[in-house]
Amino acid sequence: MRKNQVDMITLGCSKNLVDSEHLIRQFLANGYKVQHNADVIDGEIVVINTCGFIKDAQEESINMILNIVESKKRGKVGQVYVMGCLTERFMDELKAEIPEVDGYYGKFNWKKLISDLGKAYYNDPMGGNRSITTPSHYTYLKISEGCDRTCSYCAIPISTGKHRSRSIEDIIKEAQTLVDGGVREVQLIAQDLTYYGLDLYKEHKLPELVERLSDINGLDWLRLHYAYPNAFPRDILRVIRERENVCKYMDIALQHISDPMLKAMRRGTTKAETYDLLHLMRAEVPNLHLRTTLIVGHPGETEQDFAELLDFVRDIRFDRLGAFVYSHEEGTYAYKHYEDNIPLEVKQERINELMRVQEGIATELNAQKIGQTLRTIIDRQEGEYYIGRTEFDSPEVDQEVLIKHTDGTPTLQVGEFYPVEITSADIFDLYGRVVNR
């Protein structure tokens, strides 16, 4: 066990990661050494930031807690603390089942951990309120917390509560600090970008926020994650089209397309409205790359509903697509009102078929990029390859550009942009070479 060392373990989404980065900065300001998601966990203090999204994520979090508690029993680590979405939902059960944990904290009261350790909580410590754990050239910027949606399947509002926007001034200040510290790419994140500003300003403020952020000198790429089709602020399309440093990329969670499923899911939109919005997006923003998320196996999903979903994916040809098998989550509308009546094997067959269709589309779309020269940021070097991304790809979740390091390849710097000609492609990645600037 290493004295005065904190091991921070973050599970789940990028919004959790931002919370961890705030806490890491507090530990550093109090004189601790901090490791994040290290291969070897041996700290005097271990903090696990959990995910409670669906059952698989819950099981991953619980297994991590049990593993660290076992390390504590063997004397390899000291105190163990658990925070995040899982504890927000299941605090009492966790305390009863795993009492060896030294302290449990929810999604929002984790700041109390610092005072419980007898340490000071600093405002704006060390010239910034976060310690970036991503590569130094990109990071995530959370603009709001919580969600006012009532989607049938979703437990997120149980953990996060009502939607609460940060002020534009506060977000601009943080973004400027990040850029001053070397960040060149910012991913805007929230449980729901679409509602940004409605609580504070009584109107949609996402377009104004993005415009003002795009004015920050040195911010090369600004990317939008987690929009909803219902009440979508359409003026954001103008901003994406007009501002060169706003990526031609939109992450919009659609979940399904058949009207019976959209109604059962309580999505507040229809098939026709969804098609209209997607067609508008592509008309307003040339070369816009769309990422979406879909759910299969929601209670009541028929073969006809699923066939409509497949036809929708073939028709729209999403550039990026993720999918989940429906999870019957305690506390949700679906848990209270629907029977989880789709067998697991049917759910699995459906998601496999859906992803086979998407893989074929992704292969075709990638092949169309061969011969194009795309501005590419270098994220890292792995073996004989430099690994980069275009503006159409978000870190961690999307495909990458692989540039082989050969005698003729110039030395590339992580965090820098290069013109890369795409020479070949497969389902998940592009391959290219740097061309003269």
Side-chain angles (χ1 to χ4, degrees), residues 126-183:
M126 302 160 60
N129 60 9
R130 291 164 54 191
S131 290
I132 303 302
T133 59
T134 53
S136 61
H137 57 279
Y138 75 80
T139 192
Y140 301 92
L141 180 55
K142 187 169 12 177
I143 67 170
S144 66
E145 191 71 78
C147 184
D148 288 349
R149 309 283 180 171
T150 58
C151 302
S152 65
Y153 50 84
C154 188
I156 289 175
I158 300 172
S159 298
T160 64
K162 289 289 188 179
H163 179 94
R164 300 174 303 286
S165 300
R166 296 173 60 191
S167 71
I168 291 177
E169 291 71 25
D170 189 39
I171 295 168
I172 297 294
K173 179 183 176 182
E174 181 177 4
Q176 185 67 65
T177 300
L178 292 168
V179 172
D180 290 345
V183 169

Short mmCIF file of all heavy atoms in Angstrom, two decimals, residues 126-183:
data_model
loop_
_atom_site.label_atom_id
_atom_site.label_comp_id
_atom_site.label_asym_id
_atom_site.label_seq_id
_atom_site.Cartn_x
_atom_site.Cartn_y
_atom_site.Cartn_z
N MET A 126 -5.56 25.45 -7.62
CA MET A 126 -4.42 25.30 -8.52
C MET A 126 -4.71 25.86 -9.91
O MET A 126 -4.26 25.35 -10.93
CB MET A 126 -4.02 23.82 -8.62
CG MET A 126 -3.67 23.18 -7.27
SD MET A 126 -3.77 21.39 -7.28
CE MET A 126 -2.57 20.97 -8.52
N GLY A 127 -5.53 26.91 -9.97
CA GLY A 127 -5.77 27.57 -11.25
C GLY A 127 -6.77 26.87 -12.15
O GLY A 127 -6.90 27.21 -13.32
N GLY A 128 -7.51 25.93 -11.65
CA GLY A 128 -8.53 25.24 -12.44
C GLY A 128 -9.28 24.28 -11.56
O GLY A 128 -8.77 23.84 -10.53
N ASN A 129 -10.50 23.94 -11.95
CA ASN A 129 -11.31 23.09 -11.07
C ASN A 129 -11.31 21.62 -11.44
O ASN A 129 -12.00 20.82 -10.82
CB ASN A 129 -12.75 23.62 -11.00
CG ASN A 129 -13.43 23.64 -12.37
OD1 ASN A 129 -12.89 23.12 -13.35
ND2 ASN A 129 -14.59 24.24 -12.43
N ARG A 130 -10.52 21.25 -12.47
CA ARG A 130 -10.46 19.85 -12.88
C ARG A 130 -9.03 19.48 -13.23
O ARG A 130 -8.25 20.31 -13.68
CB ARG A 130 -11.32 19.60 -14.13
CG ARG A 130 -12.79 19.71 -13.93
CD ARG A 130 -13.50 19.83 -15.27
NE ARG A 130 -13.18 18.76 -16.20
CZ ARG A 130 -13.50 18.77 -17.49
NH1 ARG A 130 -14.14 19.79 -18.00
NH2 ARG A 130 -13.18 17.75 -18.26
N SER A 131 -8.71 18.20 -13.06
CA SER A 131 -7.45 17.64 -13.55
C SER A 131 -7.79 16.70 -14.71
O SER A 131 -8.39 15.65 -14.50
CB SER A 131 -6.72 16.88 -12.45
OG SER A 131 -6.22 17.76 -11.47
N ILE A 132 -7.43 17.11 -15.91
CA ILE A 132 -7.82 16.37 -17.11
C ILE A 132 -7.14 15.00 -17.12
O ILE A 132 -5.92 14.89 -16.95
CB ILE A 132 -7.44 17.16 -18.37
CG1 ILE A 132 -8.10 18.55 -18.34
CG2 ILE A 132 -7.84 16.40 -19.62
CD1 ILE A 132 -9.59 18.52 -18.23
N THR A 133 -7.95 13.96 -17.30
CA THR A 133 -7.41 12.60 -17.36
C THR A 133 -7.32 12.08 -18.79
O THR A 133 -6.73 11.03 -19.03
CB THR A 133 -8.30 11.64 -16.54
OG1 THR A 133 -9.64 11.67 -17.07
CG2 THR A 133 -8.35 12.05 -15.08
N THR A 134 -7.96 12.79 -19.73
CA THR A 134 -7.85 12.44 -21.14
C THR A 134 -6.51 12.96 -21.68
O THR A 134 -5.83 13.72 -21.00
CB THR A 134 -8.99 13.10 -21.93
OG1 THR A 134 -9.00 14.51 -21.63
CG2 THR A 134 -10.34 12.51 -21.55
N PRO A 135 -6.12 12.57 -22.90
CA PRO A 135 -4.97 13.22 -23.51
C PRO A 135 -5.15 14.74 -23.48
O PRO A 135 -6.28 15.23 -23.63
CB PRO A 135 -4.98 12.68 -24.94
CG PRO A 135 -5.60 11.32 -24.80
CD PRO A 135 -6.65 11.48 -23.75
N SER A 136 -4.08 15.47 -23.29
CA SER A 136 -4.17 16.90 -22.96
C SER A 136 -4.82 17.76 -24.04
O SER A 136 -5.23 18.89 -23.77
CB SER A 136 -2.79 17.45 -22.63
OG SER A 136 -1.92 17.32 -23.75
N HIS A 137 -4.96 17.23 -25.27
CA HIS A 137 -5.50 18.06 -26.35
C HIS A 137 -7.01 17.98 -26.48
O HIS A 137 -7.61 18.74 -27.23
CB HIS A 137 -4.84 17.69 -27.68
CG HIS A 137 -5.00 16.25 -28.06
ND1 HIS A 137 -4.20 15.25 -27.55
CD2 HIS A 137 -5.87 15.63 -28.90
CE1 HIS A 137 -4.56 14.09 -28.06
NE2 HIS A 137 -5.58 14.29 -28.88
N TYR A 138 -7.66 17.06 -25.78
CA TYR A 138 -9.13 17.03 -25.83
C TYR A 138 -9.70 16.72 -24.46
O TYR A 138 -9.05 16.12 -23.60
CB TYR A 138 -9.67 16.05 -26.87
CG TYR A 138 -9.58 14.57 -26.51
CD1 TYR A 138 -10.51 13.98 -25.66
CD2 TYR A 138 -8.60 13.76 -27.07
CE1 TYR A 138 -10.44 12.62 -25.35
CE2 TYR A 138 -8.52 12.41 -26.77
CZ TYR A 138 -9.45 11.85 -25.91
OH TYR A 138 -9.38 10.50 -25.60
N THR A 139 -10.94 17.16 -24.26
CA THR A 139 -11.60 16.89 -23.00
C THR A 139 -13.11 17.01 -23.18
O THR A 139 -13.61 17.32 -24.27
CB THR A 139 -11.12 17.85 -21.89
OG1 THR A 139 -11.59 17.37 -20.63
CG2 THR A 139 -11.65 19.26 -22.12
N TYR A 140 -13.83 16.76 -22.10
CA TYR A 140 -15.29 16.86 -22.08
C TYR A 140 -15.71 18.06 -21.24
O TYR A 140 -15.07 18.38 -20.24
CB TYR A 140 -15.89 15.58 -21.50
CG TYR A 140 -15.51 14.35 -22.28
CD1 TYR A 140 -14.39 13.60 -21.92
CD2 TYR A 140 -16.25 13.94 -23.38
CE1 TYR A 140 -14.01 12.48 -22.66
CE2 TYR A 140 -15.88 12.82 -24.13
CZ TYR A 140 -14.76 12.09 -23.75
OH TYR A 140 -14.39 11.00 -24.48
N LEU A 141 -16.79 18.70 -21.64
CA LEU A 141 -17.29 19.87 -20.92
C LEU A 141 -18.78 19.66 -20.67
O LEU A 141 -19.59 19.66 -21.60
CB LEU A 141 -17.05 21.13 -21.75
CG LEU A 141 -17.51 22.46 -21.15
CD1 LEU A 141 -16.92 22.68 -19.76
CD2 LEU A 141 -17.12 23.61 -22.07
N LYS A 142 -19.13 19.49 -19.38
CA LYS A 142 -20.51 19.24 -19.01
C LYS A 142 -21.25 20.56 -18.85
O LYS A 142 -20.84 21.41 -18.07
CB LYS A 142 -20.55 18.43 -17.71
CG LYS A 142 -21.94 17.96 -17.33
CD LYS A 142 -22.05 16.95 -16.22
CE LYS A 142 -20.90 16.64 -15.37
NZ LYS A 142 -21.22 15.69 -14.29
N ILE A 143 -22.35 20.74 -19.61
CA ILE A 143 -23.05 22.02 -19.59
C ILE A 143 -24.33 21.99 -18.76
O ILE A 143 -24.89 23.05 -18.48
CB ILE A 143 -23.37 22.49 -21.03
CG1 ILE A 143 -24.40 21.58 -21.70
CG2 ILE A 143 -22.09 22.58 -21.85
CD1 ILE A 143 -24.92 22.14 -23.02
N SER A 144 -24.76 20.81 -18.38
CA SER A 144 -25.94 20.71 -17.52
C SER A 144 -25.92 19.36 -16.83
O SER A 144 -25.12 18.48 -17.17
CB SER A 144 -27.24 20.88 -18.32
OG SER A 144 -27.41 19.80 -19.23
N GLU A 145 -26.79 19.21 -15.87
CA GLU A 145 -26.91 17.95 -15.14
C GLU A 145 -28.39 17.62 -15.03
O GLU A 145 -29.24 18.51 -14.92
CB GLU A 145 -26.31 18.10 -13.74
CG GLU A 145 -26.12 16.82 -12.98
CD GLU A 145 -25.00 15.95 -13.53
OE1 GLU A 145 -23.83 16.24 -13.26
OE2 GLU A 145 -25.32 14.97 -14.24
N GLY A 146 -28.71 16.33 -15.09
CA GLY A 146 -30.09 15.93 -14.90
C GLY A 146 -30.89 15.87 -16.18
O GLY A 146 -30.43 16.28 -17.26
N CYS A 147 -32.11 15.37 -16.07
CA CYS A 147 -32.96 15.16 -17.25
C CYS A 147 -34.43 15.26 -16.86
O CYS A 147 -34.86 14.65 -15.88
CB CYS A 147 -32.67 13.79 -17.87
SG CYS A 147 -33.59 13.47 -19.39
N ASP A 148 -35.20 16.02 -17.65
CA ASP A 148 -36.64 16.16 -17.42
C ASP A 148 -37.47 15.20 -18.25
O ASP A 148 -38.69 15.22 -18.18
CB ASP A 148 -37.08 17.60 -17.74
CG ASP A 148 -36.59 18.60 -16.71
OD1 ASP A 148 -36.10 18.17 -15.65
OD2 ASP A 148 -36.69 19.82 -16.97
N ARG A 149 -36.83 14.37 -19.06
CA ARG A 149 -37.57 13.42 -19.90
C ARG A 149 -38.18 12.33 -19.03
O ARG A 149 -37.73 12.05 -17.92
CB ARG A 149 -36.64 12.80 -20.92
CG ARG A 149 -35.82 13.79 -21.73
CD ARG A 149 -36.63 14.47 -22.81
NE ARG A 149 -35.81 15.42 -23.56
CZ ARG A 149 -36.20 16.03 -24.68
NH1 ARG A 149 -37.39 15.79 -25.17
NH2 ARG A 149 -35.39 16.89 -25.29
N THR A 150 -39.20 11.69 -19.58
CA THR A 150 -39.86 10.59 -18.85
C THR A 150 -39.87 9.33 -19.71
O THR A 150 -40.86 8.60 -19.74
CB THR A 150 -41.30 10.98 -18.47
OG1 THR A 150 -42.04 11.32 -19.67
CG2 THR A 150 -41.31 12.16 -17.51
N CYS A 151 -38.78 9.07 -20.42
CA CYS A 151 -38.70 7.87 -21.26
C CYS A 151 -38.92 6.63 -20.40
O CYS A 151 -38.41 6.54 -19.28
CB CYS A 151 -37.36 7.81 -21.96
SG CYS A 151 -37.00 9.25 -22.99
N SER A 152 -39.66 5.69 -20.93
CA SER A 152 -40.13 4.55 -20.13
C SER A 152 -39.01 3.70 -19.57
O SER A 152 -39.11 3.17 -18.46
CB SER A 152 -41.04 3.67 -21.00
OG SER A 152 -40.29 3.09 -22.07
N TYR A 153 -37.93 3.56 -20.33
CA TYR A 153 -36.89 2.58 -20.03
C TYR A 153 -35.75 3.15 -19.20
O TYR A 153 -34.89 2.41 -18.73
CB TYR A 153 -36.28 2.08 -21.36
CG TYR A 153 -35.90 3.22 -22.25
CD1 TYR A 153 -34.69 3.88 -22.11
CD2 TYR A 153 -36.80 3.71 -23.21
CE1 TYR A 153 -34.37 4.97 -22.88
CE2 TYR A 153 -36.49 4.80 -23.99
CZ TYR A 153 -35.28 5.42 -23.83
OH TYR A 153 -34.97 6.52 -24.59
N CYS A 154 -35.71 4.46 -19.01
CA CYS A 154 -34.48 5.12 -18.56
C CYS A 154 -34.49 5.42 -17.07
O CYS A 154 -35.40 6.07 -16.55
CB CYS A 154 -34.27 6.41 -19.35
SG CYS A 154 -32.66 7.16 -19.02
N ALA A 155 -33.42 4.99 -16.40
CA ALA A 155 -33.25 5.24 -14.97
C ALA A 155 -32.38 6.46 -14.68
O ALA A 155 -32.17 6.79 -13.51
CB ALA A 155 -32.64 4.00 -14.31
N ILE A 156 -31.88 7.11 -15.73
CA ILE A 156 -30.98 8.24 -15.51
C ILE A 156 -31.61 9.34 -14.65
O ILE A 156 -30.97 9.85 -13.72
CB ILE A 156 -30.48 8.80 -16.85
CG1 ILE A 156 -29.49 7.81 -17.48
CG2 ILE A 156 -29.81 10.16 -16.67
CD1 ILE A 156 -29.03 8.19 -18.87
N PRO A 157 -32.89 9.75 -14.89
CA PRO A 157 -33.46 10.79 -14.04
C PRO A 157 -33.55 10.39 -12.56
O PRO A 157 -33.55 11.27 -11.69
CB PRO A 157 -34.86 11.00 -14.64
CG PRO A 157 -34.72 10.59 -16.07
CD PRO A 157 -33.78 9.41 -16.02
N ILE A 158 -33.61 9.09 -12.29
CA ILE A 158 -33.64 8.63 -10.90
C ILE A 158 -32.33 9.00 -10.21
O ILE A 158 -32.31 9.40 -9.04
CB ILE A 158 -33.87 7.11 -10.83
CG1 ILE A 158 -35.22 6.74 -11.49
CG2 ILE A 158 -33.82 6.61 -9.39
CD1 ILE A 158 -35.42 5.25 -11.64
N SER A 159 -31.23 8.88 -10.94
CA SER A 159 -29.92 9.18 -10.38
C SER A 159 -29.58 10.66 -10.42
O SER A 159 -28.95 11.19 -9.50
CB SER A 159 -28.83 8.40 -11.13
OG SER A 159 -29.01 7.01 -11.01
N THR A 160 -29.99 11.35 -11.48
CA THR A 160 -29.51 12.71 -11.71
C THR A 160 -30.50 13.79 -11.32
O THR A 160 -30.12 14.95 -11.17
CB THR A 160 -29.15 12.90 -13.18
OG1 THR A 160 -30.34 12.75 -13.98
CG2 THR A 160 -28.10 11.89 -13.63
N GLY A 161 -31.79 13.44 -11.19
CA GLY A 161 -32.78 14.45 -10.87
C GLY A 161 -33.15 15.32 -12.06
O GLY A 161 -32.84 15.00 -13.21
N LYS A 162 -33.78 16.44 -11.78
CA LYS A 162 -34.27 17.34 -12.81
C LYS A 162 -33.11 18.03 -13.54
O LYS A 162 -32.02 18.20 -13.01
CB LYS A 162 -35.18 18.41 -12.19
CG LYS A 162 -36.52 17.88 -11.71
CD LYS A 162 -37.41 17.51 -12.89
CE LYS A 162 -38.81 17.16 -12.44
NZ LYS A 162 -39.68 16.83 -13.61
N HIS A 163 -33.42 18.48 -14.76
CA HIS A 163 -32.43 19.17 -15.59
C HIS A 163 -32.03 20.49 -14.95
O HIS A 163 -32.89 21.30 -14.56
CB HIS A 163 -33.02 19.42 -16.98
CG HIS A 163 -32.10 20.14 -17.92
ND1 HIS A 163 -31.29 19.48 -18.79
CD2 HIS A 163 -31.87 21.45 -18.10
CE1 HIS A 163 -30.59 20.35 -19.50
NE2 HIS A 163 -30.92 21.56 -19.09
N ARG A 164 -30.71 20.71 -14.87
CA ARG A 164 -30.20 21.95 -14.29
C ARG A 164 -29.05 22.45 -15.18
O ARG A 164 -27.98 21.83 -15.23
CB ARG A 164 -29.69 21.73 -12.86
CG ARG A 164 -30.78 21.22 -11.93
CD ARG A 164 -30.26 20.88 -10.55
NE ARG A 164 -29.18 19.90 -10.56
CZ ARG A 164 -29.32 18.60 -10.78
NH1 ARG A 164 -30.51 18.10 -11.07
NH2 ARG A 164 -28.29 17.77 -10.74
N SER A 165 -29.27 23.57 -15.84
CA SER A 165 -28.26 24.14 -16.73
C SER A 165 -27.24 24.95 -15.94
O SER A 165 -27.59 25.63 -14.97
CB SER A 165 -28.92 25.06 -17.76
OG SER A 165 -29.86 24.38 -18.55
N ARG A 166 -25.99 24.89 -16.36
CA ARG A 166 -24.99 25.84 -15.88
C ARG A 166 -25.15 27.15 -16.65
O ARG A 166 -25.65 27.15 -17.78
CB ARG A 166 -23.59 25.28 -16.11
CG ARG A 166 -23.27 24.02 -15.35
CD ARG A 166 -21.93 23.46 -15.78
NE ARG A 166 -20.83 24.41 -15.54
CZ ARG A 166 -19.59 24.26 -16.00
NH1 ARG A 166 -19.30 23.20 -16.76
NH2 ARG A 166 -18.66 25.15 -15.73
N SER A 167 -24.71 28.23 -16.07
CA SER A 167 -24.82 29.51 -16.77
C SER A 167 -23.85 29.54 -17.95
O SER A 167 -22.80 28.88 -17.95
CB SER A 167 -24.52 30.67 -15.83
OG SER A 167 -23.14 30.71 -15.50
N ILE A 168 -24.21 30.32 -18.96
CA ILE A 168 -23.33 30.48 -20.11
C ILE A 168 -21.98 31.03 -19.68
O ILE A 168 -20.93 30.56 -20.14
CB ILE A 168 -23.99 31.41 -21.16
CG1 ILE A 168 -25.20 30.70 -21.79
CG2 ILE A 168 -22.98 31.82 -22.23
CD1 ILE A 168 -25.96 31.56 -22.79
N GLU A 169 -21.99 31.99 -18.79
CA GLU A 169 -20.74 32.61 -18.34
C GLU A 169 -19.83 31.60 -17.66
O GLU A 169 -18.61 31.61 -17.87
CB GLU A 169 -21.04 33.77 -17.38
CG GLU A 169 -21.69 34.98 -18.03
CD GLU A 169 -23.14 34.75 -18.45
OE1 GLU A 169 -23.80 33.87 -17.85
OE2 GLU A 169 -23.61 35.43 -19.39
N ASP A 170 -20.41 30.73 -16.84
CA ASP A 170 -19.62 29.72 -16.14
C ASP A 170 -18.99 28.74 -17.13
O ASP A 170 -17.82 28.35 -17.00
CB ASP A 170 -20.51 28.98 -15.14
CG ASP A 170 -19.73 28.08 -14.21
OD1 ASP A 170 -18.63 28.47 -13.79
OD2 ASP A 170 -20.22 26.97 -13.92
N ILE A 171 -19.77 28.34 -18.12
CA ILE A 171 -19.26 27.39 -19.12
C ILE A 171 -18.15 28.03 -19.96
O ILE A 171 -17.12 27.40 -20.22
CB ILE A 171 -20.41 26.90 -20.02
CG1 ILE A 171 -21.43 26.10 -19.19
CG2 ILE A 171 -19.88 26.05 -21.17
CD1 ILE A 171 -22.74 25.84 -19.92
N ILE A 172 -18.37 29.27 -20.38
CA ILE A 172 -17.36 29.98 -21.17
C ILE A 172 -16.06 30.10 -20.39
O ILE A 172 -14.95 29.89 -20.92
CB ILE A 172 -17.85 31.37 -21.60
CG1 ILE A 172 -19.08 31.25 -22.51
CG2 ILE A 172 -16.73 32.16 -22.28
CD1 ILE A 172 -18.82 30.61 -23.84
N LYS A 173 -16.18 30.43 -19.10
CA LYS A 173 -14.99 30.57 -18.26
C LYS A 173 -14.22 29.26 -18.18
O LYS A 173 -12.98 29.24 -18.31
CB LYS A 173 -15.39 31.03 -16.86
CG LYS A 173 -14.22 31.18 -15.90
CD LYS A 173 -14.70 31.57 -14.50
CE LYS A 173 -13.52 31.63 -13.53
NZ LYS A 173 -13.97 31.96 -12.13
N GLU A 174 -14.93 28.15 -17.98
CA GLU A 174 -14.24 26.87 -17.90
C GLU A 174 -13.60 26.50 -19.23
O GLU A 174 -12.47 26.03 -19.27
CB GLU A 174 -15.19 25.76 -17.45
CG GLU A 174 -14.48 24.43 -17.34
CD GLU A 174 -15.35 23.29 -16.82
OE1 GLU A 174 -16.56 23.50 -16.62
OE2 GLU A 174 -14.80 22.19 -16.63
N ALA A 175 -14.33 26.73 -20.32
CA ALA A 175 -13.79 26.41 -21.64
C ALA A 175 -12.53 27.21 -21.91
O ALA A 175 -11.55 26.68 -22.45
CB ALA A 175 -14.84 26.67 -22.71
N GLN A 176 -12.54 28.48 -21.55
CA GLN A 176 -11.35 29.31 -21.77
C GLN A 176 -10.17 28.79 -20.96
O GLN A 176 -9.04 28.74 -21.45
CB GLN A 176 -11.66 30.76 -21.38
CG GLN A 176 -10.52 31.73 -21.68
CD GLN A 176 -10.27 31.90 -23.16
OE1 GLN A 176 -11.14 32.41 -23.88
NE2 GLN A 176 -9.11 31.47 -23.64
N THR A 177 -10.43 28.38 -19.71
CA THR A 177 -9.37 27.81 -18.87
C THR A 177 -8.81 26.55 -19.50
O THR A 177 -7.58 26.33 -19.52
CB THR A 177 -9.90 27.51 -17.47
OG1 THR A 177 -10.37 28.72 -16.86
CG2 THR A 177 -8.82 26.90 -16.58
N LEU A 178 -9.68 25.71 -20.04
CA LEU A 178 -9.23 24.47 -20.67
C LEU A 178 -8.37 24.75 -21.89
O LEU A 178 -7.31 24.14 -22.08
CB LEU A 178 -10.45 23.62 -21.06
CG LEU A 178 -11.27 23.03 -19.91
CD1 LEU A 178 -12.60 22.48 -20.42
CD2 LEU A 178 -10.49 21.96 -19.17
N VAL A 179 -8.81 25.68 -22.73
CA VAL A 179 -8.05 26.02 -23.93
C VAL A 179 -6.71 26.65 -23.55
O VAL A 179 -5.67 26.34 -24.14
CB VAL A 179 -8.87 26.94 -24.85
CG1 VAL A 179 -8.02 27.46 -26.00
CG2 VAL A 179 -10.09 26.19 -25.39
N ASP A 180 -6.73 27.52 -22.55
CA ASP A 180 -5.48 28.12 -22.08
C ASP A 180 -4.50 27.06 -21.59
O ASP A 180 -3.28 27.24 -21.65
CB ASP A 180 -5.75 29.12 -20.95
CG ASP A 180 -6.46 30.37 -21.44
OD1 ASP A 180 -6.49 30.61 -22.67
OD2 ASP A 180 -6.99 31.11 -20.59
N GLY A 181 -5.05 25.93 -21.12
CA GLY A 181 -4.21 24.84 -20.63
C GLY A 181 -3.77 23.86 -21.71
O GLY A 181 -3.12 22.85 -21.40
N GLY A 182 -4.14 24.13 -22.96
CA GLY A 182 -3.67 23.29 -24.06
C GLY A 182 -4.72 22.45 -24.75
O GLY A 182 -4.43 21.75 -25.73
N VAL A 183 -5.96 22.47 -24.26
CA VAL A 183 -7.04 21.70 -24.91
C VAL A 183 -7.39 22.34 -26.25
O VAL A 183 -7.57 23.56 -26.34
CB VAL A 183 -8.28 21.66 -23.99
CG1 VAL A 183 -9.49 21.10 -24.74
CG2 VAL A 183 -8.00 20.80 -22.76
#
